[in-house]
Each structure stands twice: as structure tokens, then as C-alpha cells.
Amino acid sequence: MKTFNDSKSQHLEELEALISSSLSEKELEDRLSDYHDNDIAEILEKLAPQERLRLYRILGVDRTAEIFAYLDDAGPYMEELSLEKAANVVSHMDSDDAVDVLEDMDESRKAEIVKRLDHETSEDVKLLWSYDDDEIGSCMTTNYICIHNDLTIRQAMRELIRQAGENDNISTIYVVDEQDKYYGAIDLKDLIVARDTDTLESIISRSYPYLLDNEKTDDCVDRIKEYAEDSLPVLTQEGKIAGIITSSDVVEMVDDAMGDDYAKLGGLTAEEDLNETTVESMKKRLPWLVALLFLGMLVSSVVGMFEAVVAVLPVVICFQSMVLDMAGNVGTQSLAVTIRVLMDENLKAKQKLGLILKEARIGLANGFVLGVMTLAVLGIYIHFFKGYDWGHAFLIAACVGGALITAMVISSIVGTVIPMFFHKIHVDPAVASGPLITTVNDLVAVITYYGLSLIILIDMFHIAG
Amino acid sequence: MKTFNDSKSQHLEELEALISSSLSEKELEDRLSDYHDNDIAEILEKLAPQERLRLYRILGVDRTAEIFAYLDDAGPYMEELSLEKAANVVSHMDSDDAVDVLEDMDESRKAEIVKRLDHETSEDVKLLWSYDDDEIGSCMTTNYICIHNDLTIRQAMRELIRQAGENDNISTIYVVDEQDKYYGAIDLKDLIVARDTDTLESIISRSYPYLLDNEKTDDCVDRIKEYAEDSLPVLTQEGKIAGIITSSDVVEMVDDAMGDDYAKLGGLTAEEDLNETTVESMKKRLPWLVALLFLGMLVSSVVGMFEAVVAVLPVVICFQSMVLDMAGNVGTQSLAVTIRVLMDENLKAKQKLGLILKEARIGLANGFVLGVMTLAVLGIYIHFFKGYDWGHAFLIAACVGGALITAMVISSIVGTVIPMFFHKIHVDPAVASGPLITTVNDLVAVITYYGLSLIILIDMFHIAG
């Protein structure tokens, strides 16, 4: 049996062939009902414009809307439709998908289409647009089932069936009281297995978690994840239901949140995408680089203090980059681990201390291994390629190795403490930590390395290049 | 109105007070039904052991199982239960949760409990254990509704209600043929709104996507995400349904997949967690560090070639670290962007070239800004603090600035091309790229910087320290 991905691509080829085939429209509609909307969305780009238009006509506006909701960038395909058709398609989408699709179009056309949306959809779209991109409200959908808490089981079931025609997020049914305020939620399963003699109250979960429309998505994505529900209601300040967040929204949120942290660790202020202009990307990267430049100058001025060492013993500069790089690498590792830990759980002081000690231990252990390697390899290298006698060669190598161990231990600690500090003062550690850690580690590495060289090589043993 | 998180913590305090209150068990059971399982799971740690045991008794084994499924580490709480009770709780869990909880216990106790599981659960647990951790089969659940394709709508509905008592993932109903092979899926909504006169066939989606039990999770997580379904069936090699993946499993998968890439960018071979031993963590970090050490030595030997420059003009070493760091930072930014892009979409050759050119443009633009800053600041710094006359000071600063621009442009390109190359040859770019990029960028930076210094400062202008 083929893997998901293989069978998938074959499946898509069949689909493509089918659409370009000479089947009657009736037959085609029939056969297409066996294909997933996402699959049809994927092959759209492979079709000729007129093939696409024919396809939409055959599938009908409802299914076309479903398919468009799966497109990464619906813009070009919407362009092919008349304003009326486009508006009609958007009107048949979930509010959050409708907003996404509209975002894919240029302002003028977007405005034209919004004018032509049916009343309900345009209300929904305006509602979602009324929130900032980082607010929960901006990614909710108004596609959900809502009933009053005074119904009987039988009435509730009938109401569900009535609304299910319009709304397909039915696994959780939301309940409001007589003032239309959020009252609780019913797991569809409980409604289905309930007996007519049961009261609705008995199957309503009053504790069902909810979100507020203007909360920052990043602040609650972890909690949302924890509850692991199929959907969560989003309430207005008045406690009315504004919409819901579905599990696929949650997947998106988690993906985005992680993607941002990932970008930040890489030294971008936010995740970039392919379609961004050079200037937009510059804006995201330059701040960090300028900060690093000036911090780098600080390091340079410290290196400058050791010019004397270098003047006497130029060989030492060969290994500066190595010591600094290693210190930096170790710091980054500790940073990556610490940020993830801080993100996932709330650490008690004791655990934090434990983490710092653990990082220090790892730094020491790794530093020792690398330090020994360095001593051995560089000792030989310096003797043969730099022409120092064995004793001096290994003394110099020892300075490098020693500096390596010291720098790695301190870097591990710095790489753990600094993100914890920023987290404590509610500054995003993923953004703020990087530059600071690099700089501190560079300074530590420079001072230990040149310091050791000065004391041992020059003051103690009077070695000169 | 309070935010999700505020109201949440308050909510938990109420719950804690409630449990420690002197309410009768009947009342308490009643009140507790208003709280979410996840909330109760969160306050468990705050209770005394006997309070917990009382709580379990009041809630009953079914709900206790639900609550345990929400615990990050159920181990200590399971310890408090007798083997029979523990086995009973695990027997009431979804198979994937059961496996997770068992993993939290030490081997001996785990074995004892598995012996005591009810037949169905122990079968399910053994099934999930038969897969590797990185296979889809290991994270599926056997909690789903499955019917035959020869039923009528009415029979299907009755069957659903019967099975819904046992299984609560009902939003999608899976259909098998007479040989019990996977036939398709029914959206519960379609079943609910269907008329008795409709045929079941008419509402079965034959194209509903499926997974294979032994596929690598990482390979298909993106596709799973795309389909945005509440659940997907996992098939055996024979095409029978082994279990399903639910949306909360998908959230976990996405989180893990991203977490790993994040860790890799930070130079770890895999994501670490708090409970790992120092040795385990060392194993994950050392390989990368050793690689970097030897690559660092390579860089050192190149730096060594320019000892002459430093011997004549020690001031230049002050700025080596700065140029190298900046080159590295720019490379990391390009790397982070490129990996995310490669992860998200399949790029055509043209788009890849576009991305490379874009990164180069950004590198040049940012490099120019930083280069000018450097020229200005360092010129002044070198004049006043290093005692060179204005002309020489700015010549030296110009070398640093020039090296910076060149290094940043090349680093951006390197940071984009290398991950693309690894992606092409199916090596995970997030792991492999880091060290190579650092090294190449260091080499480029060293050569441009010292090269420029040698040519301009020493050969052309014969400046000496």
C-alpha cells in the first residue's frame, strides 16, 4: 500500500484527468463529489481559466466556496470571477475564511466585493475586521449552533437540525440564557444519547471554557491548547457570544505562535513570508542588527585593550574566533532550551535554579570534552604549523582550551539566566535575549581568552611570536 | 470583564475552596459537574492525598479517567491508587491517553497495571505500543464510531446513538464495507439533516483522506493540517481502520514538529525537556558542538594566514569579532526565513531564485546602512582612542565598513542557498545548515576583512601600528 503522500499525488492526477475529460457535466458533478475540497483546491492552479470557470459552475457556489476556503492565496482565482460571482462565493464562506480570501485581493476590488456581499456575511466580515490581527476576535467564525437554555431535549434536537443546514460546526452546541448571554455548552454526543425525559439543564456544561473577543491570541493559545476542545466560544464584554474558535483555528494559532518564536530566535522581530517586500523584511531585521552592531563595537573596544598581547604574540588571534564562536553556540543552545521551557510551563523558583545548574553542568561537561580535544589538536597544530616548540605549543593550546571551558560554563549560565530575567519582567525573551547573550558571551570569552594568554603566556612564560 | 487568564485563576481558587469545603458528597458531586475536567486536573496538585482519593471516589472512575487524561504527569497521582483502582482508571481512558499515562509510571508498576487492564484497553494499548514513537499509529485513538455501508439512514442513526455511549469522537462517522475495509466517512451533520428516504451512500464521502499506521508523523503533519478535518482515520496495510487521529492530536503534532525545528535552529539535535538527565542533554548537544569546534579550527587556521597583518597593525584585530558576528547574524536571519519557507510551501526553481535574490538585496541594503554607521562611529573612535590621524582612522574604519557590507551580502546568500541545498538532498536543513553556514560566513568575513586591510591599509598606505 502506498504512503499517504504517494497515493495522494496519484489521487490528484486522477482528479486532474477527470476534470479535463469529456464527461457530461452531470456525470462529472457526480464523480467530483467523491473528491475532497482540499484536493480540488490543490489542482485548481493546474487548470486553464475556462476549465476552472466550468468547474465552479458544475460544483455550484456552495462547494466552490468550500474549495476557495482551502486556497493559500485565493486572489488570482477571485480575479477570474465577475464581482457578483465573487461576492456570491464569499457570501457562502465561514466568516473567518471570507476575511482571509478578501485579504488576498487588492483594496479596490475588495471594497467592490464587500459592497455586494449578502447582509449577514458583510455584517460578519465587518465584525471580524473590527478587531486587531492579534486579538482572538479576528480569527473566530460565526458558524456555530446556538440555542436557548429553556428548551426541552426534543426542541433542542429539532433546533439543532434546523440550524445544522446553515452551520456545520455542530460537535458543540452553545447555550444562551433569556438575555442572550452565554450560559454554557452541550456536547452534541450528550444531546444525541439523552432521553426525552432528561432536562436540557442536566446536559449543559456550565463550566465550558470561553475566550474574550479582545484578548491577545498569544496570551491564551497555550490555555486553548490545554482544554483540547473541538471549539471554544468567544464572548463580548457583555458576555454575549460573538463567535467561536474551531480546532483548525487552534492548529493555525499554535503554528503561528511557534513560527514567531522561531523567527525571533533567528533574530527577526516577526515571522516573514515569501510575498513580503524587501523593505518590509528590512524593517523586521534591521533593528536587531543595529543593536548587535553597537554591542559588537563594545566588544571590539574590549578586544582593543589586549592589543598589547597580540602585538607581542600574534599567534593568539588565530583562535579568538574559535573561542568566541563556541561560547556563542553554547549560549544559543541554552537559550533555545530555556525559552521552550518557559513557554511550556510555569516554573517555580526551585525549578529555575535547577535548570540553571543543569545548564551549567552541561556546559562544564561539554566544555571539558571540547577543551581536551582542543588541547590535543591545537598543541600539535601550533608546533608543526606555527613553529613553536612542544612546550610552548601546548601552553598556548592550554590557554585556548582553558578559555573554552570557562567561556562555555559562563555562557550556559548567561544563556539561561537572561531569558528568565526577561520573562520575569514580561519582555519576550525570544526577542530580547539573543543580542544581549551574544554580547555578554563575547565579552566573557574575550576577557578569559586574552586574560589567560596575558597572564600565562606573556607574564609567566615570556613567550613571544 | 476579566480576561480568560484572570477569570481562570479565580475560577480555580473557587474550585479548590469548594473541594476542601464541608459540603456533603452528593452536593459536591453536583457542584463539581459544573467544572471542566482540565480545571480539576490543574488543582489536583494543590490537594492533600486523602482529599484527592475522596475526590476520585465522588467523581467516579469515568470522570477521574477524563481528568487524569489532562495531567501532564499522571505518575505521582497513579502511585496513590491501588493497582486495581489504577488499572480501572486507565481502562476508562482513550487508548492514546492510556498509553501516555502508563508512560508516566515506572516499568514494574506499569507492567502490573497492564496485567489488570480490561481486555479491550489492554488490546488497544498493545496495539499502540506496537508502533514506533515517530509513527502515526503511536498517537492514534481507538475511540471512534464505525458503521457498515449497507445500513439505512435510520439504522445508521440508531447505531450512532448506541456507539456514542462508548465513544465520544462522533463528529465524523467512519464507514467500512462488508470485508470491514475502510469505505469512507460521514460528516455527522449530514447524517443528522438527512431524510429517512435518502440513501446512506449519498452522504458517505468516499474521498475522505486517510493516513497509514506506519507513516512517519513528521512526513504527513503538514498534509493533515491542510485538510483541517476534526479527525482522520488511520488504516492498516490491509486497508482496515486501526484508529483515528483527532484534532487535539494534530495540535500536539504541529507543536512538536515546530518545537523540534526550533530546537534544531538552536543547535540541538532534538527538543529537550526539563526532566531529562544531564547526560541525555549532552548527547543532544555535543555532536553539533564538536562539529563546530573543528570547523572553528579551520577558520582559525585561515585567520593564521593573516598574522602578518596583525603583527604590523594590531588595531585591526579589535574589529574582527564585530565583522564575524554581524556576518553570522545576517546568515542566521536568512536561514530562519528560508527554513520556514521551505517548510511551508513547495517552491518552484523560479521562486527559489527569487528568494535568494531577495535575501541578497536585503543583505546589501542592511549592509549599506550598517556599513555607513560603522564608518562614521569607528572613524571617530579610532582617531580619539587609538591615536591615529583622521585620514588613517577613516581608512581603517572604511575597511571594516567595506568588509561588513561584502560579508553581509555573501552571508545572506549563503544562509539561503545552503538550507535549500540540504532540503534538495533530503537532509533536514534545520539541523545541517547551522554549523556549515557559520563556518562559511566566518571564512568569508575573515578573508574579506583581513584581505581588505592587507591591500588597502598595509600595501597601499603602509599604515603601521
Side-chain angles (χ1 to χ4, degrees), chain A residues 222-259:
Chain A
D222 287 340
R223 287 228 162 277
I224 297 174
K225 221 165 56 185
E226 271 177 26
Y227 280 104
E229 295 287 356
D230 281 338
S231 68
L232 292 176
V234 179
L235 306 189
T236 63
Q237 297 303 312
E238 300 75 38
K240 298 213 158 100
I241 302 179
I244 66 166
I245 297 292
T246 66
S247 47
S248 54
D249 297 329
V250 178
V251 172
E252 278 309 310
M253 288 180 192
V254 172
D255 195 33
D256 293 349
M258 286 291 304

Side-chain angles (χ1 to χ4, degrees), chain A residues 49-161:
Chain A
Q50 66 278 17
E51 278 182 311
R52 278 196 284 268
L53 295 178
R54 171 160 173 269
L55 185 64
Y56 305 149
R57 201 180 60 250
I58 294 172
L59 293 170
V61 64
D62 244 329
R63 184 129 195 242
T64 306
E66 293 290 339
I67 291 167
F68 272 49
Y70 275 107
L71 290 168
D72 292 335
D73 176 12
Y77 305 104
M78 293 298 269
E79 296 290 333
E80 298 173 353
L81 303 175
S82 69
L83 285 173
E84 283 64 24
K85 278 218 180 61
N88 192 11
V89 169
V90 176
S91 297
H92 282 76
M93 289 181 172
D94 283 3
S95 40
D96 51 350
D97 297 328
V99 167
D100 291 344
V101 169
L102 287 169
E103 294 311 334
D104 294 338
M105 287 179 281
D106 55 63
E107 289 308 320
S108 62
R109 189 172 170 84
K110 182 160 70 173
E112 282 306 312
I113 291 176
V114 171
K115 267 196 227 130
R116 293 170 168 76
L117 291 177
D118 68 30
H119 179 69
E120 195 198 340
T121 312
S122 68
E123 287 306 303
D124 292 345
V125 167
K126 295 201 183 84
L127 172 64
L128 266 66
W129 274 342
S130 69
Y131 296 103
D132 298 341
D133 289 353
D134 61 350
E135 290 180 328
I136 286 284
S138 67
C139 46
M140 65 189 184
T141 172
T142 54
N143 171 339
Y144 61 95
I145 309 273
C146 184
I147 63 174
H148 274 92
N149 61 342
D150 55 8
L151 302 183
T152 65
I153 295 286
R154 185 179 289 276
Q155 289 168 320
M157 197 66 204
R158 210 174 296 119
E159 185 59 20
L160 164 67
I161 294 169

Side-chain angles (χ1 to χ4, degrees), chain A residues 408-423:
Chain A
M408 280 176 71
V409 174
I410 300 177
S411 301
S412 313
I413 298 171
V414 171
T416 317
V417 173
I418 288 182
M420 282 182 179
F421 165 73
F422 282 119
H423 186 259

Side-chain angles (χ1 to χ4, degrees), chain B residues 38-51:
Chain B
N38 183 43
D39 297 338
I40 297 180
E42 278 189 45
I43 55 115
L44 276 190
E45 61 173 350
K46 298 219 181 70
L47 303 176
Q50 65 277 17
E51 277 183 311

